[in-house]
């Protein structure tokens, strides 16, 4: 397929590399142009001067920006996606976005005969590199069917979740689980360290028991006990995600004290740890509060 990829960040870059490796024609655009040029040198993709130019000959355009608002910001004007799209093309937005903005984007595209899918991903940078991401899709099933061969370049699992916005909603709730599990694990393990328990012993028990989670099974052993804290997924983005989940719960009139409180804690952490910190670094904040390290 003729594809374009906009947004070569931590996860966008390896996703786009999978598209090139799968043999799709690929044009890339990135706000910071040097990243697109480096990508083109590495993969043989071509670089577009603007979103409009990237969309011009594309059957499918992928976006992977920080927020849905960022996607909205590249739609209009002579350089914008809408100026380049042909009728019948499809925008697949892999941003972990918010359903309301995705619906607004979908309406603007539909008026020009362009399809839209919200298609956030899960599985991290390593899943993107291996092509095993889970992709949760909102939008028309026939549109998904048409672009599925391109999505398969980076997906291990593709799930149609419902109409536009459903993919974003599922992603936000998944991220709320991640944030809640990570914070709970940090609080519990700092407590156990102060009780004199070796955290490796504690995790040996918990990971064979009902309290286990991806945080206890993978993130904490690989990133906290080792003190490696690699920067693969920014805490600022997880704060954005749980903020979307908290807002959806409020709009749905679902009492959700755990989600709302965790969203607040992540907002504090974003302020304390900054925009570049990785999500797992929230453990450092809990360690500082509690006065003990999980190691
Ligand atoms: P990064 O911060 O690494 O990259 C963000 C990308 O978006 C960059 O290419 C940046 O361009 C671009 N961008 C941001 N704002 C704008 C804008 N206003 N206009 C144009 N381009 C913009 O983020 P990630 O790659 O980690 O994440 C991207 C999305 O994927 C997020 O929604 C995130 O929640 C989600 N995600 C991330 C995962 C991960 O493990 N990293 C896992 C699953 C989902 P520039 O280079 O110029 O800054």
């Amino acid at each position: 397929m003729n594809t374009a990829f906009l947004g070569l960040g931590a996860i966008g870059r390896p996703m786009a590399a999978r598209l090139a490796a799968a043999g799709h024609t690929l044009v890339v655009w990135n706000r910071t142009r040097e990243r697109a040029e480096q990508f083109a040198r590495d993969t043989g993709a071509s670089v577009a001067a603007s979103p409009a130019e990237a969309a011009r000959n594309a059957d499918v355009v992928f976006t992977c920006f920080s927020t849905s608002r960022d996607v909205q910001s590249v739609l209009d004007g002579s350089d914008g996606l809408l100026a380049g799209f042909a009728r019948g093309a499809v925008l697949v937005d892999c941003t972990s976005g918010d359903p309301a903005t995705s619906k607004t984007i979908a309406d603007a595209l539909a008026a020009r005969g362009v399809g839209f899918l919200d298609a956030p991903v899960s599985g991290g940078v390593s899943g993107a590199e291996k092509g095993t991401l889970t992709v949760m899709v909102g939008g028309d099933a026939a549109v998904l069917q048409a672009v599925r061969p391109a999505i398969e370049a980076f997906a291990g699992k593709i799930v149609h979740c419902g109409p536009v916005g459903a993919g974003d909603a599922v992603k936000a709730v998944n991220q709320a689980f991640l944030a809640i599990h990570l914070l709970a694990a940090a609080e519990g393990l700092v407590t156990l360290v102060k009780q004199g328990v070796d955290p490796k012993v504690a995790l040996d028990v918990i990971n064979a028991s009902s309290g286990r989670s991806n945080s206890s099974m993978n993130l904490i052993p690989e990133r906290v006990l080792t003190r490696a804290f690699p920067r693969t997924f920014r805490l600022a983005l997880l704060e954005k995600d749980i903020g979307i989940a908290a807002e959806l719960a409020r709009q749905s009139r679902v009492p959700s004290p755990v989600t709302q409180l965790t969203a607040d804690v992540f907002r504090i952490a974003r302020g304390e740890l900054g925009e570049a910190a990785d999500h797992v670094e929230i453990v450092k904040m809990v360690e500082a509060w509690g006065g003990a390290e999980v190691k």
Side-chain angles (χ1 to χ4, degrees), residues 171-186:
K171 175 67 183 178
V173 170
N174 177 76
Q175 297 302 92
F177 285 15
L178 165 61
I180 291 163
H181 294 165
L182 188 55
L183 183 58

Side-chain angles (χ1 to χ4, degrees), residues 183-255:
L183 183 58
E187 291 177 0
L189 288 167
V190 171
T191 302
L192 286 172
V193 168
K194 295 193 83 173
Q195 289 293 318
V197 179
D198 181 338
K200 293 181 204 65
V201 171
L203 286 169
D204 192 27
V205 174
I206 290 163
N207 287 335
S209 303
S210 47
R212 68 182 181 271
S213 63
N214 182 55
S215 296
S216 68
M217 296 181 79
N218 296 307
L219 295 178
I220 291 176
E222 291 166 12
R223 299 174 176 218
V224 176
L225 295 184
T226 58
R227 308 311 287 175
F229 292 101
R231 289 186 162 174
T232 64
F233 174 50
R234 293 188 297 118
L235 185 143
L237 294 171
L238 184 54
E239 188 274 324
K240 171 259 304 178
D241 291 336
I242 191 168
I244 295 169
E247 176 62 22
L248 288 179
R250 277 195 299 271
Q251 282 172 9
S252 309
R253 303 184 64 77
V254 176

Side-chain angles (χ1 to χ4, degrees), residues 6-13 29-33 35 64-67 69-71 73-74 94-97 120-125 133 171 175 232-234 237-238 240-241:
L6 282 66
L8 301 170
I11 196 141
R13 190 177 196 291
W29 178 84
N30 194 68
R31 180 179 59 181
T32 307
R33 189 182 167 99
R35 283 189 178 161
C64 192
F65 296 158
S66 305
T67 68
R69 289 293 169 89
D70 298 324
V71 179
S73 77
V74 300
C94 296
T95 304
S96 300
V121 302
S122 184
V125 171
L133 292 174
K171 175 67 183 178
Q175 297 302 92
T232 64
F233 174 50
R234 293 188 297 118
L237 294 171
L238 184 54
K240 171 259 304 178
D241 291 336

